[in-house]
Amino acid sequence: MIYDLTHRTLYHYAEPARFARHLLHLLPRAREGQRVLDARLEIAPLPEKRFDEVDYFGNKLTTIALIAPHETLEITLRATIAREAPEEAPHAATLAAVREAAAFAEFTLPTALTEADAAISDFASAATANESDAFGAGLALMGAINRSFTYRPGVTSVATTAPAALARQEGVCQDYAHVMLAALRALGLPCRYVSGYLRSGDATRGAEQSHAWVSLWVGPEGGWVDFDPTNDRVAGADHATLAWGRDFEDVSPVRGVIRGGGRHRPVVEVAMLPAMGS
Amino acid sequence: MDERAMAGRADAGAKRDWRFAPSLLASLPPAELAARKAALRRLAAAHLPGAARAPDYDPLPVILPGALARRLGAALCRRAALLGVMIDDLYGQRQCLADGTVPAPALFSAAEWLRPMVSEAPLSAPRLVLYAADLALDVAGGAVVLRDHVDNVPGLGHAIALRRFISAAMPELLRSLTLASRQPLIERWREEIDHWAGGGPVALLESEDDDGADAALLARVLGALRLRPADLDCFGEAPEFRTLAGTETVRLLIRRMPATAIDPLEQGGAPASGVAGVFGAIRRGRLAMLNAPGTGVIAAPGVAEGVEGAIAALHRARFGEALALHRAATAVLPFAPLAPEAGASEPGTAPFVLRLFALHCGAAGWVALPGGLGLALGPDGRTQMKDVFVLDHGEDGAAPEDMAPEVVARAGGGRARAATSVLPSRVADDLFWLGRAVERLEAAARLGALALDTLAEASALPHEQHQRGLLAFCLAHQRLISPDLAGRHVAARQLRDSLTGGAVLGVPIGMVRRLLAATSDRFSATMLTTIEAALERVMAAREGGMAALVPASLALAASFAGVIGEDAAQDGAFLFAELGRRLERLFTLSGSFAILLGGAPTRLAPGIRLAVALIDAAMICEQRYGGVPEAAVALRLLLGDLAYPRSLGFQAAALAAGFARLDATAEREEARAIGLALEDASTRMAPGAALAAVEARAAGLCERLTGRLFAPPASRQHRDGAAPP
């Protein structure tokens, strides 16, 4: 399936921003099952400086600097992405084998947002008590989180930790993902936070906006498998990956330091639609 | 076990020199040694204005024979080189993770592991350039490493500068010894950092928590600027800071702050705690930071142990022998003599570690500093710093530095040293306000003194009541008395009571103290001493009330004016302090004159007399006119006389000239316009309104100056776009 993707972020500043420097994780990366046929960022006003790099996790990282005073900032990603769904369930290694694999040690360690407390550890153990392989554990945890949580925008923030989200049992896709990450890591399984998009129009949560889910390493043969706990489904052809890291902090789509600007709140619009003829 | 015996076993040939120290100790009675110690610290304090407190120096050095120093230096350099290899591997291929040398969980959970600093492309300077190790010497002349300093390297400034203070406080010590010179290495390293700086300024990047004394000393040795994160912006490819002449790009920063909060854009945290964009500049090779952020990870718990094993293996593979300097968790420390503190009867001894330094000199590789610091734990629990003497001839008669052949000038003689005569806007801001504060103190003292003189023989005569009223309004306008006391029928006694104690000068005195401390490193020691002595007299005069404070405050203002007139404040600092003085004088005098000269033309005479007295112009009036002249002439003198340094017109002209030096065109034009307005006002017989307007324009000028030239406003951080609102 080929998608046309548009992601527009608009800032209206209450007073002119006199200087701004932003880091953008807004250009999608290629990965197994995903080809980026075209991707470009349109930025208004045009930044005085722009640098494009690849970050530590292999994501595309764009740095922009706006020196002239500006009252709005609009960043639009336009991309064409070819996405293929995995053909069959992956061959997953046992939980013990996955735990012992050292290659992805970095993704087994907790972060500030995904530090597990006793409640998360208990939740993880209970949800996966009957599972023997990593894929099964992923499915079980995903389902348990989805059933426990109520999707409710506005009650959490980008700084909400996994224990806080689990305690509330409500939140948005980022909170679902952080709880699942914390639980998987409490089990010693390597997993990563994935930011991206969900096909528009379906009866899913998280479409028409930035989305987030979890990727779990299920063993050397199965590799990385993506789980979307917000929608209780294995991510496939309807999900387009933007970037991944250990948690949201590694891949926040837009982060920056601005001087002036006053109060502002971003307006985000996302559309991921099948390309004409796809 | 003290260092004499230790060194004696290590190098019997050096005993002759080595035993000099005890003979010196024997020749100086304890009281004299204590006096020398106090003198050493006073000397250091005099050269370290603004430091939180004088460094805890001890005058008795640790003395290393040449051969021992040579051996330790060579081992130190090898260790530094191998640690550098490990850092490059961790931030590059990470082979040490793949082969299990360094445990991945330890690395990935270390706060010092900075993912943004991973870069496939080499940086513009080696990641590890400054290195120090804290060593415990053993009885066989060997040593073990108790701690590696691979992140910030503290003490280098002290290690280099302490010798100069010792030579002044203990001259007989240096007269009888020939020590290895550190100068060739320092010069060589300066050339290298100039090379990395690309011809631009060399700057130390400091945090509030830095050892200001160490930083100040190092900055002087290197001719480097001292900057804080708030001084820098990363508008383009490399950081810049605001100076007299606009902005200056920095290509080299010697890091004195923790690596965990340098770039708020990539690390989070408060924007003011770091410089947003600086990591990107380093990755792209536009900025060299010494040491690079993240080097400290190799000393992190769990990582250090793996690294130690790796460098031991590397050492054996490269050099065919065991690592000479290896880490030890604990060691028995040797003892060194400590000069007694004042009042103590005998010298003491204290366990000490030896901190040795190595510097990366580009193509010449690592070079050990001949000397270092002895860090002894004093009886009060505080660490005392001792100089480390390396004797210049040992058993073999060779120079102690095996690096000597390598320490040669760079090909082509090296680059011309970049001019560092640039003034960060923060410093300029502080100096500007220091100038204002001194002038404010002087103005308050003069006005207070005039009021007290006038009130001394107060009567109920109408003209005296009128004068009292004018002065009360002036005092209230300058916020020296409560507004409730301003009025034409104010009682003389009330005014006197509110002024006599001198409390009205407390605020400007406090401002002067604070700003002088903040800017003290811009003044030479002699000049600073002059101003501080005058300030101390002001502080002492507080007990004497206004009568004592006025002459002391005027003396302070005169000392300050003299010092900046001597251009003691370097790099254009004089200009900002001068601008502050002139602007404050314009502001306060125009405000007071607006009141004193604000009456009807027929009632100008009392106000003119007060205005003449306020600016101490009675003598010039006497000389020129035989007394206070008629109103038209007096107004010309007070407002428009460009040749008279206390006239308002003179202040405006001085400001215009200062702004012209700064290329501050708009401000210069405004100062000229104010000058024209004053000239016009000087021809009117009712200049009060015009002078009030001048006061407002002076305030506006200050705001414009602050906004345009000085410290920028704070930044804010945001992270958006991940979670739906």
Side-chain angles (χ1 to χ4, degrees):
Chain A
M1 178 66 76
I2 297 177
Y3 293 102
D4 284 332
L5 173 64
T6 306
H7 177 182
R8 177 172 172 264
T9 308
L10 176 64
Y11 294 93
H12 271 292
Y13 299 112
E15 57 190 67
R18 288 187 293 278
F19 166 70
R21 195 174 188 95
H22 300 279
L23 281 186
L24 312 177
H25 276 108
L26 276 174
L27 285 171
R29 64 183 296 163
R31 60 176 296 190
E32 188 176 348
Q34 174 171 305
R35 285 177 296 138
V36 180
L37 305 178
D38 181 40
R40 62 187 183 281
L41 288 176
E42 296 167 359
I43 303 168
L46 202 62
E48 277 82 355
K49 293 286 180 185
R50 172 176 169 165
F51 309 100
D52 287 286
E53 299 170 275
V54 174
D55 75 6
Y56 174 78
F57 296 104
N59 305 306
K60 294 188 173 180
L61 175 67
T62 304
T63 307
I64 58 172
L66 296 107
I67 300 170
H70 50 287
E71 294 178 351
T72 62
L73 173 62
E74 184 173 6
I75 305 166
T76 306
L77 161 68
R78 296 188 196 283
T80 305
I81 292 175
R83 193 70 174 92
E84 296 164 5
E87 291 181 355
E88 56 190 29
H91 183 277
T94 64
L95 289 172
V98 171
R99 284 189 192 108
E100 286 170 10
F104 302 108
E106 187 156 31
F107 293 108
T108 65
L109 298 169
T111 63
L113 290 172
T114 64
E115 180 94 52
D117 61 1
I120 286 184
S121 296
D122 293 346
F123 182 82
S125 299
T128 60
N130 298 321
E131 305 301 328
S132 59
D133 68 57
F135 184 68
L139 286 175
L141 254 179
M142 177 172 70
I145 292 168
N146 186 269
R147 287 189 297 278
S148 303
F149 266 60
T150 301
Y151 186 83
R152 184 164 292 150
V155 296
T156 56
S157 75
V158 294
T160 301
T161 63
L166 182 64
R168 294 187 69 97
Q169 299 205 318
E170 60 183 1
V172 293
C173 53
Q174 176 185 292
D175 305 302
Y176 284 68
H178 279 159
V179 170
M180 186 164 177
L181 289 167
L184 289 169
R185 288 170 185 164
L187 296 170
L189 303 176
C191 51
R192 58 198 186 195
Y193 181 98
V194 184
S195 74
Y197 309 98
L198 190 56
R199 172 185 176 144
S200 304
D202 290 353
T204 51
R205 295 164 178 161
E208 279 89 38
Q209 56 205 357
S210 297
H211 193 42
W213 60 91
V214 170
S215 196
L216 168 66
W217 192 70
V218 300
E221 292 184 44
W224 291 92
V225 177
D226 286 11
F227 297 85
D228 181 352
T230 311
N231 293 296
D232 193 17
R233 63 198 244 190
V234 173
D238 290 345
H239 290 72
T241 297
L242 191 54
W244 64 59
R246 294 165 303 152
D247 63 18
F248 164 74
E249 283 289 341
D250 286 335
V251 292
S252 58
V254 183
R255 67 188 302 166
V257 171
I258 59 175
R259 188 166 295 154
R263 292 176 64 85
H264 67 275
R265 189 185 181 106
V267 176
V268 179
E269 296 168 1
V270 171
M272 180 172 147
L273 298 166
M276 294 288 284
S278 174
Chain B
M1 179 71 212
D2 68 20
E3 86 282 14
R4 297 182 298 273
M6 182 168 51
R9 290 191 191 195
D11 185 355
K15 280 183 177 175
R16 194 174 51 253
D17 294 321
W18 187 240
R19 289 179 175 173
F20 177 82
S23 64
L24 175 76
L25 274 175
S27 70
L28 291 175
E32 177 63 17
L33 260 183
R36 300 292 186 92
K37 188 169 195 167
L40 172 68
R41 292 176 176 176
R42 275 199 309 275
L43 192 63
H47 283 80
L48 290 166
R53 62 185 177 87
D56 285 326
Y57 290 153
D58 183 79
L60 300 176
V62 173
I63 302 180
L64 292 184
L68 175 60
R70 187 163 62 245
R71 189 156 45 78
L72 289 175
L76 189 79
C77 289
R78 283 185 176 182
R79 185 172 176 87
L82 295 174
L83 290 173
V85 168
M86 293 302 296
I87 290 169
D88 287 344
D89 179 61
L90 282 172
Y91 284 96
Q93 299 295 316
R94 289 194 290 288
Q95 186 60 39
C96 57
L97 283 188
D99 63 20
T101 306
V102 171
L107 177 71
F108 292 135
S109 57
E112 299 86 351
W113 171 239
L114 300 184
R115 292 169 180 83
M117 288 312 300
V118 171
S119 166
E120 289 182 9
L123 307 183
S124 62
R127 288 177 191 263
L128 186 66
V129 169
L130 292 134
Y131 170 65
D134 289 348
L135 307 180
L137 299 175
D138 64 30
V139 292
V144 293
V145 177
L146 293 174
R147 184 175 178 188
D148 290 302
H149 295 279
V150 286
D151 186 29
N152 288 319
V153 177
L156 183 58
H158 291 299
I160 295 173
L162 180 51
R163 182 71 46 84
R164 189 155 54 93
F165 303 138
I166 292 277
S167 69
M170 304 281 283
E172 58 276 79
L173 195 57
L174 284 150
R175 275 201 298 270
S176 305
L177 292 173
T178 305
L179 302 182
S181 169
R182 290 95 48 90
Q183 208 53 35
L185 168 58
I186 294 167
E187 291 296 325
R188 177 67 183 83
W189 200 59
R190 285 175 56 158
E191 286 181 13
E192 200 57 45
I193 60 175
D194 280 348
H195 170 69
W196 287 321
V202 172
L204 270 59
L205 181 62
E206 298 179 54
S207 67
E208 298 283 349
D209 301 328
D210 193 16
D211 175 357
D214 189 39
L217 294 169
L218 185 61
R220 281 187 200 169
V221 168
L222 300 177
L225 296 165
R226 296 173 65 190
L227 299 176
R228 291 190 183 151
D231 295 330
L232 290 162
D233 278 307
C234 214
F235 292 122
E237 296 189 351
E240 302 167 347
F241 64 98
R242 300 173 111 191
T243 72
L244 289 170
T247 58
E248 183 87 14
T249 300
V250 183
R251 302 283 185 199
L252 178 77
L253 287 170
I254 297 173
R255 182 164 60 84
R256 304 277 308 183
M257 56 185 293
T260 46
I262 290 183
D263 187 342
L265 189 61
E266 302 207 28
Q267 295 177 289
S273 68
V275 186
V278 81
F279 275 2
I282 296 171
R283 282 197 302 268
R284 288 186 286 277
R286 312 302 295 180
L287 171 71
M289 190 174 276
L290 314 178
N291 291 325
T295 47
V297 73
I298 59 168
V303 178
E305 295 78 1
V307 166
E308 191 66 21
I311 65 170
L314 274 173
H315 193 277
R316 186 167 289 284
R318 285 192 180 187
F319 305 110
E321 58 188 59
L323 187 65
L325 274 180
H326 59 83
R327 275 172 63 108
T330 58
V332 177
L333 295 180
F335 279 70
L338 273 183
E341 303 289 340
S345 57
E346 292 297 330
T349 61
F352 79 99
V353 297
L354 189 63
R355 181 170 297 167
L356 297 185
F357 299 85
L359 307 174
H360 195 302
C361 292
W366 285 92
V367 182
L369 184 76
L373 279 180
L375 302 170
L377 193 64
D380 57 358
R382 284 161 67 166
T383 300
Q384 299 191 23
M385 288 177 272
K386 303 167 78 67
D387 197 358
V388 175
F389 285 7
V390 172
L391 302 180
D392 196 25
H393 51 87
E395 190 176 18
D396 52 8
E401 320 99 303
D402 64 350
M403 74 293 285
E406 301 170 16
V407 182
V408 293
R410 293 176 63 85
R415 291 164 180 249
R417 180 133 185 93
T420 54
S421 299
V422 285
L423 190 70
S425 58
R426 169 179 52 82
V427 179
D429 194 10
D430 284 344
L431 285 161
F432 172 75
W433 280 100
L434 176 60
R436 288 199 70 169
V438 171
E439 185 61 32
R440 189 168 295 180
L441 176 62
E442 179 180 348
R446 286 188 184 281
L447 185 56
L450 176 63
L452 286 177
D453 282 351
T454 308
L455 297 168
E457 296 181 17
S459 74
L461 292 172
H463 75 277
E464 289 195 353
Q465 278 194 345
H466 176 58
Q467 281 192 332
R468 263 204 312 278
L470 289 175
L471 283 171
F473 273 119
C474 286
L475 289 163
H477 187 70
Q478 303 297 345
R479 299 181 182 179
L480 299 178
I481 62 170
S482 164
D484 300 340
L485 291 178
R488 295 194 182 283
H489 302 294
V490 63
R493 185 181 55 78
Q494 275 183 297
L495 275 179
R496 272 202 309 271
D497 289 349
S498 62
L499 293 173
T500 306
V504 296
L505 301 186
V507 171
I509 290 171
M511 281 181 68
V512 172
R513 287 186 73 188
R514 181 179 63 77
L515 291 162
L516 186 61
T519 56
S520 54
D521 64 345
R522 310 302 303 185
F523 296 86
S524 74
T526 312
M527 297 302 178
L528 186 67
T529 302
T530 304
I531 300 174
E532 284 183 334
L535 181 57
E536 281 174 17
R537 284 193 287 276
V538 171
M539 302 301 289
R542 287 181 301 177
E543 288 188 6
M546 199 67 160
L549 271 171
V550 167
S553 299
L554 297 184
L556 169 64
S559 295
F560 182 79
V563 163
I564 65 169
E566 293 282 338
D567 206 8
Q570 305 143 13
D571 303 337
F574 162 77
L575 180 57
F576 280 96
E578 176 68 1
L579 283 172
R581 288 182 64 221
R582 296 300 172 194
L583 192 53
E584 181 67 22
R585 187 173 289 184
L586 178 67
F587 177 71
T588 53
L589 281 184
S590 57
S592 293
F593 283 3
I595 294 167
L596 298 176
L597 308 177
T602 53
R603 300 194 66 185
L604 266 183
I608 286 178
R609 277 196 294 277
L610 289 173
V612 166
L614 183 61
I615 63 169
D616 203 16
M619 183 172 287
I620 194 170
C621 286
E622 189 69 33
Q623 288 170 349
R624 283 189 189 176
Y625 316 113
V628 175
E630 63 179 49
V633 176
L635 289 176
R636 180 73 195 163
L637 173 72
L638 295 168
L639 308 185
D641 190 339
L642 298 182
Y644 182 50
R646 294 196 178 279
S647 80
L648 290 183
F650 185 93
Q651 316 312 316
L655 283 169
F659 290 136
R661 278 185 63 191
L662 287 177
D663 288 332
T665 309
E667 288 78 6
R668 182 197 64 197
E669 291 308 311
E670 174 65 1
R672 284 179 176 169
I674 290 173
L676 290 174
L678 285 165
E679 191 175 344
D680 181 57
S682 73
T683 63
R684 299 182 183 188
M685 293 307 287
L691 289 169
V694 166
E695 182 190 24
R697 291 176 79 167
L701 198 50
C702 179
E703 280 182 22
R704 286 170 60 167
L705 192 64
T706 301
R708 209 175 76 79
L709 293 174
F710 296 153
S715 301
R716 296 181 296 114
Q717 188 173 66
H718 72 96
R719 295 165 295 163
D720 298 319

